[in-house]
Amino acid sequence: MSTDLRNRFDQTLQAALQELSFEGLAFKAGKRKLRVSAQGEAVAELSFVHLARADGVYLLARVFDGATCRALRALDLSPLNIVLSQDLLLISSLSEDGKQFGDEVGGTVRLYPAMDLQATCATLVDKLKAFHLRRIADFLALSPRLPDDILRYPADYAFPAATAALAFKAQGREADFAEFVARAKAKKFWGFTPASIVQARERVFGSAG
């Protein structure tokens, strides 16, 4: 990947991101980064990382603040993964299914000299809105869609069981947490240990039962 191509991609993507709008979130586009704010506070950041050997770019999105993050931290949970203890939702296109960001194997966007950069970046912005920003917004709002997303991508969440419990509580659906746990146990999802489930029930609902 030439430096010129990389720089032209960065400039085109930054220009496309400057026109971005999505459900009450505010954005500040920089070189290879997109800062996300909600209700006047910075809550997340998307990074577009170049892989020189693969001639491509992948996405890394992290949520580090906001009401949901504060609620989880207030529970004083035992961290399941020290790497994720600061970023309570961490999304990488390298580990997602369905080519939600890049069309290449491994979740990357391959850069090549003859590509239409404007069309490529416009498509990427559409993908961010349809998938990655939707996931971030659902996490921030404790959306009804959040529990299903946790089951699909449990390793992206620092505290999957407790995050799901907070979502059910926010929706007045505390009774549905038991069914959610049963689905997680049946598929042996990452992060749903007996200890984390008990901890989530106790600290979110006030009961271990």
Side-chain angles (χ1 to χ4, degrees), residues 10 12 18-19 23 38-39 60 115 139 141 147 149 195:
D10 291 342
T12 306
Q18 287 173 346
E19 304 299 321
E23 295 190 7
Q39 299 180 339
L60 185 67
M115 72 188 302
F139 175 81
D149 189 75

Side-chain angles (χ1 to χ4, degrees), residues 47-176:
S47 300
F48 305 91
V49 185
H50 286 277
L51 292 171
R53 292 184 179 179
D55 290 333
V57 178
Y58 76 93
L59 171 71
L60 185 67
R62 45 187 289 262
V63 181
F64 50 79
D65 210 344
T68 301
C69 289
R70 288 192 292 273
L72 285 166
R73 291 182 179 123
L75 296 175
D76 194 25
L77 300 162
S78 302
L80 294 172
N81 188 324
I82 193 65
V83 175
L84 297 183
S85 61
Q86 181 62 36
D87 301 323
L88 299 190
L89 172 58
L90 186 63
I91 303 168
S92 171
S93 68
L94 298 178
S95 60
E96 67 192 17
D97 57 24
K99 297 182 179 179
Q100 305 290 351
F101 179 72
D103 291 332
E104 296 295 316
V105 175
T108 63
V109 176
R110 187 174 71 86
L111 304 185
Y112 55 94
M115 72 188 302
D116 186 334
L117 289 174
Q118 288 190 329
T120 297
C121 292
T123 297
L124 289 180
V125 170
D126 287 342
K127 287 184 173 184
L128 293 177
K129 293 170 69 174
F131 186 73
H132 307 88
L133 291 176
R134 162 58 54 210
R135 294 187 64 200
I136 290 171
D138 286 348
F139 175 81
L140 295 171
L142 293 173
S143 159
R145 288 181 292 266
L146 183 56
D148 284 337
D149 189 75
I150 293 170
L151 289 179
R152 184 177 180 184
Y153 295 105
D156 289 359
Y157 293 85
F159 304 105
T163 304
L166 284 175
F168 284 120
K169 183 175 181 180
Q171 299 153 26
R173 297 169 51 204
E174 297 184 11
D176 291 339

Side-chain angles (χ1 to χ4, degrees), residues 158-206:
F159 304 105
T163 304
L166 284 175
F168 284 120
K169 183 175 181 180
Q171 299 153 26
R173 297 169 51 204
E174 297 184 11
D176 291 339
F177 184 65
E179 180 185 352
F180 171 87
V181 168
R183 291 170 64 193
K185 286 181 175 179
K187 295 191 177 182
K188 298 181 180 179
F189 282 114
W190 181 93
F192 294 99
T193 64
S196 72
I197 293 166
V198 169
Q199 193 177 62
R201 285 195 179 109
E202 288 178 341
R203 302 193 184 182
V204 176
F205 303 132

Side-chain angles (χ1 to χ4, degrees), residues 33-56:
K33 292 196 182 292
L34 179 68
R35 196 74 164 179
V36 183
S37 297
Q39 299 180 339
E41 63 176 338
V43 295
E45 184 175 84
L46 282 66
S47 300
F48 305 91
V49 185
H50 286 277
L51 292 171
R53 292 184 179 179
D55 290 333

